[in-house]
Amino acid sequence: KAGVTQTPRYLIKTRGQQVTLSCSPISGHRSVSWYQQTPGQGLQFLFEYFSETQRNKGNFPGRFSGRQFSNSRSEMNVSTLELGDSALYLCASSSTSRGLADTQYFGPGTRLTVL
Amino acid sequence: QQQVKQSPQSLIVQKGGISIINCAYENTAFDYFPWYQQFPGKGPALLIAIRPDVSEKKEGRFTISFNKSAKQFSLHIMDSQPGDSATYFCAARNNNDMRFGAGTRLTVKP
C-alpha cells in the first residue's frame, strides 16, 4: 500500500505570494492533518480534515487554510507569504474517524522557502 | 504556548548503551502519548505510544514509562544502535489537539 504522498517536495516563493500544497493520504484513510515544522517552533498542528470538513484547527492565522476533496486528498493554502512561513509542511493521514486520536502516518513533507 | 517540554535537546550514546529522553506535559486532557522518530529528509514515523491508564509499554528495544501524577513520560532505547541515530519527538494529544515536544537529536556512536 502506498504511503502518504505530498507534492511538490520543494517550493520557493517570494513574500506576498500565495502557495498551495497537496497531500494524498493512504488509500482508505479519510482523516488528513497538516503540520508545520520549523527549527525554532518545532512541530505545530495546523488543522485536521475528515470527510471534507475541517474538524480541528491549531493556533495559526487565517492566511493558512485548507480543504479536503471527496477522494480524501487535501490541499493547504498559505496566502500573503511571510519569511517566517519558511518551513517543512507535513501531512498525516489516519484511517478512522478518531483523527488526531488515531495512529497517524506522515508524508515526507513539502519544504517551502520564502524569499 | 509550550505544553510539552522535552529534554535533552541532544544526546550522544555509545553503541549498546541506553538512551533516555524525557517529556513533561501540562494539559491533563491529553489522553494519548506517542513518540515519533524522524530521519533527515523524512516525515516523522510513529515509534511507540501509550495511554495514561498504563504505566509502562515495551516494544522490542523501545520502552515508554508513564507517570500520570507527575505528568511525565519517557522513552528508553535499550541496546542503542547507530541506526537509531535520528531526531525523536514526544507528543501529547486528544481528539481535538496535538502538541509536540521540541525534539531530541540522538547520536549513537559505534
Side-chain angles (χ1 to χ4, degrees), chain A residues 3-99:
Chain A
V4 177
T5 57
Q6 294 187 244
T7 57
R9 291 294 310 278
Y10 302 91
L11 204 50
I12 300 175
K13 292 285 187 180
T14 56
R15 278 184 301 174
Q17 287 187 309
Q18 75 165 19
V19 67
T20 300
L21 312 181
S22 180
C23 171
S24 292
I26 292 171
S27 177
H29 285 195
R30 295 168 63 193
S31 171
V32 174
S33 302
W34 288 89
Y35 301 86
Q36 181 195 64
Q37 186 175 28
T38 60
Q41 299 297 318
L43 271 161
Q44 297 184 89
F45 168 64
L46 279 157
F47 28 66
E48 184 225 353
Y49 286 87
F50 180 80
S51 292
E52 303 177 64
T53 301
Q54 186 181 89
R55 192 158 60 172
N56 293 297
K57 190 176 190 301
N59 189 27
F60 276 80
R63 299 186 297 107
F64 292 82
S65 63
R67 59 178 176 169
Q68 186 180 32
F69 301 95
S70 58
N71 61 358
S72 294
R73 189 178 70 85
S74 177
E75 287 182 348
M76 189 192 106
N77 184 275
V78 187
S79 62
T80 319
L81 283 166
E82 301 177 359
L83 295 178
D85 296 333
S86 295
L88 179 67
Y89 289 89
L90 293 158
C91 165
S93 74
S94 59
S95 62
T96 74
S97 62
R98 295 176 62 210

Side-chain angles (χ1 to χ4, degrees), chain A residues 9 35 37 42-45 48 56-57 88 90 98-104 106-108, chain B residues 31-32 36 38 41-46 51 89 93-102:
Chain A
R9 291 294 310 278
Y35 301 86
Q37 186 175 28
L43 271 161
Q44 297 184 89
F45 168 64
E48 184 225 353
N56 293 297
K57 190 176 190 301
L88 179 67
L90 293 158
R98 295 176 62 210
L100 294 181
D102 194 7
T103 300
Q104 294 187 301
F106 283 83
Chain B
D31 60 6
Y32 191 62
Y36 291 91
Q38 186 176 26
K42 304 284 187 181
L46 179 67
R51 294 196 182 275
F89 295 92
R93 67 185 198 203
N94 53 29
N95 282 348
N96 304 312
D97 194 14
M98 184 164 186
R99 303 290 174 134
F100 292 87

Side-chain angles (χ1 to χ4, degrees), chain B residues 19-78:
Chain B
S19 303
I20 301 174
I21 305 171
N22 301 298
C23 281
Y25 64 98
E26 299 172 4
N27 187 348
T28 56
F30 291 134
D31 60 6
Y32 191 62
F33 303 88
W35 284 91
Y36 291 91
Q37 179 188 56
Q38 186 176 26
F39 293 103
K42 304 284 187 181
L46 179 67
L47 198 59
I48 187 172
I50 197 168
R51 294 196 182 275
D53 54 346
V54 177
S55 62
E56 185 175 283
K57 183 175 181 180
K58 184 176 180 180
E59 289 184 1
R61 296 185 294 111
F62 302 93
T63 300
I64 298 179
S65 297
F66 189 87
N67 186 328
K68 188 175 181 178
S69 61
K71 293 188 286 186
Q72 295 175 347
F73 58 109
S74 61
L75 174 69
H76 291 64
I77 306 175
M78 312 299 288

